[in-house]
Amino acid sequence: MDIIDHTQEEEDELHDFYFSVHNGQSEECLVNINKIRHNDPSFTELYLEHEIYYFDDMNWKLLGRYIARNTHLTCIDLTEMYQSRRDMENFFSVLPFGSLASVPLKDICIESGLNTVLFESMLKALSGGPIEQISVDNGLMNDGLIDSIEVLHEVELPCLKHLTLRGNKIVSTSGLEKCVKLETLSMSKNPINSAGCIGISKLLEKSTALEEVCICNTKIGDEGADMLANSLKHNTGNRRESHHTEGGCFIYKVDE
């Protein structure tokens, strides 16, 4: 039986056993987890730091379940530590498609630990919800990186304004054209080639919301950079724009 099927009594027993100062977790961490669990309206932002080192599989699964039921959490920031892929697998394992749609989550930042499968699980859980910012900077990881964002074709992220996917293994940007509300986009340090620029090209051509795009240290070359620059010429938005291109680098910004 999966954790999602546990009764309240069983969950209480699991919580008391796995969330305890005897397991090395700080009193502050335990208080905050309890606030999420009991849907405390005063607690809206979750930051986990050194406590992660005292979490095992069940801690992550329980936390995922608590978050999926919460109606006040707006931010999850895990950028101060470096999770293993197994941690992330357990965290997302109890978050089925659309399970975070009713959570008022606007910002999620993860610095490492997400591969393509886990990235897809995260976006599917967020589908239909109010998420505004997603940041997955895998620049410090050597393996297990995101190599595809095709999942964007399957999910709906109607409020997404800021997307950072720096330092991954993404080659194709197909799917980005769906993110028409994006205001900022960072895809630097990915092996995107000229053919892989099509998604960004389509987004630049039709978006009236984009204010900043950074695609540096890639493989787009002059051909890809020129393609993106030409896309801007077809954009009918009345904005003063500036951009510069250089082999493997494209930077676009709306002038103030």
Side-chain angles (χ1 to χ4, degrees):
M1 181 171 60
D2 195 6
I3 183 175
I4 205 70
D5 299 318
H6 283 165
T7 65
Q8 186 61 55
E9 183 178 354
E10 290 170 330
E11 182 187 292
D12 290 342
E13 292 179 1
L14 288 170
H15 180 88
D16 292 342
F17 183 81
Y18 285 95
F19 288 104
S20 166
V21 291
H22 300 297
N23 295 331
Q25 298 145 15
S26 69
E27 189 66 37
E28 181 182 6
C29 173
L30 297 176
V31 169
N32 290 341
I33 297 298
N34 230 16
K35 287 180 179 178
I36 293 175
R37 183 189 181 204
H38 294 293
N39 205 15
D40 186 332
S42 69
F43 190 80
T44 60
E45 299 182 355
L46 172 64
Y47 297 88
L48 286 176
E49 297 184 8
H50 63 276
E51 291 89 354
I52 185 177
Y53 301 111
Y54 302 101
F55 277 27
D56 66 7
D57 296 356
M58 186 57 72
N59 288 103
W60 284 109
K61 288 182 178 181
L62 286 167
L63 179 58
R65 185 178 185 182
Y66 300 161
I67 290 174
R69 296 193 308 231
N70 193 280
T71 60
H72 300 288
L73 197 63
T74 62
C75 175
I76 299 175
D77 191 328
L78 307 179
T79 56
E80 291 300 317
M81 62 258 172
Y82 307 102
Q83 302 95 320
S84 70
R85 193 179 310 162
R86 182 172 176 177
D87 290 333
M88 294 294 92
E89 287 172 351
N90 284 302
F91 182 62
F92 289 116
S93 67
V94 292
L95 301 178
F97 200 104
S99 59
L100 296 182
S102 61
V103 180
L105 193 61
K106 293 184 178 181
D107 186 358
I108 185 165
C109 300
I110 297 174
E111 192 150 276
S112 62
L114 285 193
N115 59 11
T116 302
V117 173
L118 297 178
F119 179 69
E120 291 176 350
S121 297
M122 181 178 76
L123 261 60
K124 288 178 180 178
L126 293 167
S127 184
I131 192 73
E132 293 182 2
Q133 175 168 306
I134 296 174
S135 178
V136 182
D137 189 339
N138 267 328
L140 299 177
M141 294 286 286
N142 295 317
D143 62 0
L145 305 176
I146 301 167
D147 58 20
S148 172
I149 56 174
E150 289 290 328
V151 66
L152 288 171
H153 289 292
E154 303 176 40
V155 300
E156 297 297 329
L157 303 171
C159 302
L160 187 62
K161 296 180 180 179
H162 309 283
L163 179 61
T164 297
L165 295 174
R166 176 182 171 276
N168 286 283
K169 293 184 178 179
I170 299 165
V171 175
S172 171
T173 60
S174 177
L176 281 176
E177 64 271 22
K178 283 190 61 182
C179 303
V180 294
K181 296 287 184 67
L182 274 184
E183 295 178 3
T184 65
L185 172 66
S186 176
M187 298 289 291
S188 296
K189 295 189 69 175
N190 280 284
I192 302 168
N193 54 30
S194 57
C197 287
I198 294 177
I200 299 177
S201 177
K202 291 179 178 178
L203 182 64
L204 284 169
E205 186 172 322
K206 67 182 181 180
S207 173
T208 58
L210 265 180
E211 297 180 357
E212 186 173 335
V213 178
C214 185
I215 311 168
C216 293
N217 298 313
T218 64
K219 297 182 179 180
I220 64 173
D222 292 333
E223 181 182 352
D226 288 342
M227 178 196 303
L228 298 178
N230 287 330
S231 296
L232 292 173
K233 296 179 182 179
H234 299 285
N235 192 307
T236 57
N238 293 318
R239 299 176 298 169
R240 295 172 57 234
E241 303 160 346
S242 65
H243 69 274
H244 74 263
T245 62
E246 190 175 340
C249 183
F250 175 89
I251 297 177
Y252 160 82
K253 189 169 185 179
V254 173
D255 296 336
E256 296 181 357

